Amino acid sequence: MTTRGAKEDMMHLVANLIDEVLRNPENEETIKRVREKVNATMKDYPLFAY
């Protein structure tokens, strides 16, 4: 995450999203919701932040 510019304060969100999917690995709605949240959150953190 840090290579994209995310800081420590975002790690709680990351951990919660990972936990949510791990608790519901077969639930497509959960996976979709988490994917959308990740994409929206990471939109502000480009893949290569030079």
Side-chain angles (χ1 to χ4, degrees):
M1 297 296 289
T2 58
T3 60
R4 293 182 74 168
K7 300 297 181 193
E8 293 83 6
D9 59 337
M10 188 183 288
M11 296 307 122
H12 289 286
L13 172 63
V14 171
N16 288 334
L17 293 171
I18 291 170
D19 180 61
E20 193 171 341
V21 172
L22 288 176
R23 290 178 186 267
N24 302 290
E26 303 298 325
N27 186 324
E28 292 298 325
E29 191 61 37
T30 297
I31 294 168
K32 179 183 178 197
R33 187 171 20 84
V34 169
R35 181 182 296 119
E36 290 170 353
K37 178 70 175 174
V38 168
N39 288 337
T41 301
M42 296 312 293
K43 185 169 60 168
D44 296 332
Y45 298 90
L47 194 54
F48 296 103
Y50 291 103

